[in-house]
Amino acid sequence: MPRALVVLGAGGAVGRGVVEAAVEAGRPVVAVGLDETARQALLARHPRADVVALVAPIASDADAAALAARLRGLGVAFDGVVASLAGEHPCGRLIDEPADVLQRTLDQDLLPHLFAARHLLPLLPADASGYVLVGGPGGRYPWAGYGHCSIAAAALRMMARVLHDEAGRHGLRVQLLSLDAPVGTEANAAHAGASWPKALAIGHRALALLDGARAPVAAPIVEFPAPAMTSRVIAAARATPPSSSRDRRLPVTPAVALPARDLRAARALLDSIASPTSPGSLHDEHC
């Protein structure tokens, strides 16, 4: 009997995309969400699929331990976990917001990943496909108006490195699939950017990481989508002087007109080539 994939945060946009990709691939799924409405909607969307849907919050160690006990009680073997755990946060300058805004962001976007990994990694056999965390944008560069989310995303990147190292000693692989833009959904279609990834595409990429979990080399952090590191982008980065700490705006010539994200990525690549061990180099990440 095929082993099941556990999807955490299955009631959210990314979680639904992961479930849909898994169903397309014929994988049995245990989908874990936060409310009964989302659970029922998920089952109605996949009436003939091998999907078990559970309502289970993961806001504490106790919650995660209870979820692990329920999963053991299903009497099925598990092949991997994809965790997309995050809250909804207001826009505002970090320096203007009360401290509990940042605390709440960490409580919703960072710590649930730790609680879940602590209790669910032991459920996976040594030959499991792996454990994939899905992280939001802003972890490498500040996200204007969402600095609190950037801090949580940056912390999740480090947590992924630590879990990757610790789990690897026991033959398991943990990786972070890091999104560089918000997710495009039907709900935000009116203002979504053309480059915003779709949930199903993210789901396919997460499954691809699981399918490649036994590859000889795998980085703890994988970017989605990969920055466009063409010679044109690199040439533009060389021609554009770095911004000062007082002015983060990137001058762009009409002939180039590249997205700021590409320019930043090119500079990061050039910096890593010039000084591979300098702080902030991307030597252990791949696209």
Side-chain angles (χ1 to χ4, degrees):
M1 179 179 295
R3 295 186 295 190
L5 172 68
V6 179
V7 180
L8 305 180
V14 172
R16 292 194 300 270
V18 175
V19 171
E20 186 171 352
V23 169
E24 286 182 0
R27 291 177 180 253
V29 176
V30 178
V32 181
L34 290 178
D35 60 70
E36 181 62 21
T37 300
R39 190 186 82 87
Q40 294 290 347
L42 192 69
L43 292 175
R45 187 177 181 88
H46 305 288
R48 296 179 177 83
D50 189 358
V51 176
V52 174
L54 305 177
V55 176
I58 310 177
S60 66
D61 260 321
D63 286 344
L67 172 60
R70 291 181 67 184
L71 292 175
R72 289 190 185 94
L74 294 177
V76 301
F78 300 105
D79 185 51
V81 176
V82 178
S84 175
L85 302 170
E88 295 184 0
H89 307 292
C91 177
R93 294 203 316 163
L94 180 68
I95 200 169
D96 295 332
E97 300 290 342
D100 61 357
V101 170
L102 177 58
Q103 182 64 63
R104 186 164 57 249
T105 304
L106 297 174
D107 287 343
Q108 294 179 2
D109 293 8
L110 178 67
L111 292 179
H113 280 289
L114 175 59
F115 302 144
R118 178 177 292 151
H119 294 279
L120 269 59
L121 275 170
L123 298 182
L124 301 180
D127 63 342
S129 291
Y131 195 115
V132 174
L133 315 171
V134 181
R140 291 192 297 168
Y141 303 99
W143 186 7
Y146 292 91
H148 45 300
C149 296
S150 286
I151 292 170
L156 183 59
R157 292 174 76 91
M158 181 54 70
M159 182 185 291
R161 297 175 191 271
V162 173
L163 293 176
H164 179 86
D165 180 63
E166 293 181 352
R169 300 174 189 175
H170 301 282
L172 295 173
R173 177 164 293 164
V174 176
Q175 291 179 282
L176 171 68
L177 181 59
S178 179
L179 311 182
D180 69 351
V183 180
T185 66
E186 294 180 0
N188 63 26
H191 62 270
S195 64
W196 290 15
K198 299 299 187 290
L200 181 57
I202 297 168
H204 286 150
R205 188 70 180 95
L207 294 189
L209 290 182
L210 293 177
D211 291 339
R214 291 300 163 194
V217 178
I221 300 174
V222 178
E223 307 296 340
F224 180 94
M229 298 310 300
T230 64
S231 58
R232 180 166 170 256
V233 171
I234 294 174
R238 289 184 185 277
T240 307
S243 58
S244 69
S245 59
R246 293 178 177 271
D247 185 3
R248 296 293 182 184
R249 293 172 296 178
L250 297 175
V252 179
T253 64
V256 177
L258 292 171
R261 174 172 58 83
D262 288 347
L263 294 174
R264 291 193 298 264
R267 287 201 191 93
L269 177 63
L270 293 173
D271 289 344
S272 68
I273 293 172
S275 178
T277 59
S278 63
S281 65
L282 307 181
H283 62 280
D284 61 346
E285 302 176 14
H286 72 245
C287 300

